Amino acid sequence: MATITAADVNKLRTITGAGMMDCKKALVESDGDFDLAIENLRKKGQKVAANRSDRESTEGAAIAVVSADKTEGVVITLNCETDFVGKNEGFVKLATDLANQALNYATKEELLASDFNGISVAEKLIEQTGVIGEKIEIGSFERLSGAFVGSYIHAGNKIATLVALSANVAGAEEASRNVAMQAAAMSPIALDENGVDADTIAKEIEIAKDQLRQEGKPEAMLDNIAKGKLNRFFKDNTLVNQDYIKDSSMSVSGYIKTVDAGLTVTGFRRVALG
């Protein structure tokens, strides 16, 4: 029987993130064989994951990261079952590490298959399910490219956003963060009116016409009035047309022009938990 020291237990805990008692038990059962102990802990994670596969994982951490050259960004959510786990420092660090790794991959599937300290990301999530005792999975995965990409993570890691600008100009860092904050706060459905799908437009026009009929407006006037209401819908729900949250006297596109006359917002991504 191998002698299991506190240093051995701490080493295994550092490698796996498992609790002290779980690490000690795994080392005892493996007679001090670290590889076997790690394998046993992962098997435990598989059992827990199978038992919790039908659970909802709507809590967690939303993380946005940007490449060193500011031309690529990724935003993900690492989901769990409870807010208590989602706020844990170790959980947020894992989410951040995975987001940084995601910068190297085009899809969530590629990220899950990639190596994470000797095992795949998918295997790491199963391992951590066993450690934490909750269902853990990557929920959202979004990428954004642009001449300059900025990010914003709302306090508490519940919402994270990316914004792309048309050029890397003086003030782009602050401007992209401000617009990313706008996207987080106001939850636009599209960048501009051209990004709103035809079904949504048709639905909004019909809603507007129904309201106008109830107000007794003549049928011949409905189309023109409905178009005006549709323009208001675009103003309220598309990012560049929204009133800028830090100065409602201008739109978001107007704010961007104050940074640089030729600057535009070319894209955004927003993910949220719950």
Side-chain angles (χ1 to χ4, degrees):
M1 177 69 72
T3 300
I4 308 303
T5 66
D8 292 332
V9 174
N10 190 56
K11 179 181 176 182
L12 184 60
R13 185 170 186 261
T14 300
I15 293 170
T16 65
M20 295 293 284
M21 294 306 296
D22 285 336
C23 287
K24 183 176 181 179
K25 182 180 179 182
L27 284 167
V28 169
E29 291 176 348
S30 68
D31 197 24
D33 185 323
F34 270 83
D35 289 339
L36 182 56
I38 291 170
E39 184 180 341
N40 288 340
L41 285 171
R42 287 178 188 151
K43 286 179 179 177
K44 177 188 174 185
Q46 290 172 344
K47 291 177 182 178
V48 174
N51 291 335
R52 305 189 77 83
S53 61
D54 61 343
R55 298 295 186 100
E56 288 191 0
S57 56
T58 56
E59 298 293 342
I63 305 292
V65 295
V66 176
S67 62
D69 65 1
K70 305 294 185 180
T71 62
E72 298 281 343
V74 172
V75 58
I76 71 165
T77 60
L78 183 62
N79 293 32
C80 58
E81 296 176 32
T82 65
D83 187 52
F84 176 78
V85 168
K87 289 180 177 178
N88 180 271
E89 183 179 341
F91 185 88
V92 175
K93 182 182 183 305
L94 176 61
T96 303
D97 289 345
L98 291 174
N100 279 301
Q101 183 153 328
L103 277 170
N104 300 310
Y105 300 98
T107 66
K108 179 165 70 173
E109 290 70 29
E110 289 181 7
L111 172 62
L112 288 170
S114 67
D115 178 80
F116 190 89
N117 297 329
I119 59 176
S120 71
V121 169
E123 289 170 331
K124 182 66 177 179
L125 296 181
I126 291 173
E127 174 192 277
Q128 290 302 298
T129 292
V131 169
I132 295 170
E134 290 191 6
K135 180 179 179 179
I136 298 172
E137 61 184 351
I138 293 176
S140 301
F141 179 106
E142 300 280 352
R143 291 190 65 91
L144 184 65
S145 301
F148 188 95
V149 178
S151 65
Y152 172 75
I153 302 174
H154 191 61
N157 302 301
K158 297 297 185 184
I159 305 171
T161 52
L162 298 167
V163 161
L165 303 180
S166 60
N168 185 354
V169 298
E173 183 81 48
E174 181 181 1
S176 62
R177 177 176 170 78
N178 284 337
V179 179
M181 190 184 301
Q182 171 96 21
M186 302 306 293
S187 189
I189 64 171
L191 178 65
D192 55 28
E193 55 269 35
N194 296 320
V196 181
D197 66 83
D199 288 343
T200 299
I201 292 174
K203 180 180 177 182
E204 289 301 317
I205 289 175
E206 196 53 43
I207 289 172
K209 286 183 176 181
D210 284 343
Q211 291 174 341
L212 293 168
R213 289 187 185 103
Q214 292 172 24
E215 294 169 6
K217 295 291 191 296
E219 196 70 24
M221 297 175 58
L222 297 189
D223 282 338
N224 285 335
I225 301 177
K227 287 178 182 177
K229 288 184 174 290
L230 183 62
N231 287 333
R232 181 66 201 190
F233 174 81
F234 290 146
K235 179 175 174 56
D236 291 341
N237 294 281
T238 59
L239 180 59
V240 299
N241 293 312
Q242 287 177 337
D243 288 340
Y244 179 44
I245 55 174
K246 291 188 174 183
D247 184 351
S248 60
S249 70
M250 66 178 81
S251 66
V252 170
S253 61
Y255 159 67
I256 287 296
K257 297 298 182 188
T258 68
V259 179
D260 185 279
L263 194 62
T264 59
V265 182
T266 59
F268 79 99
R269 298 288 185 271
R270 181 185 190 274
V271 301
L273 290 159

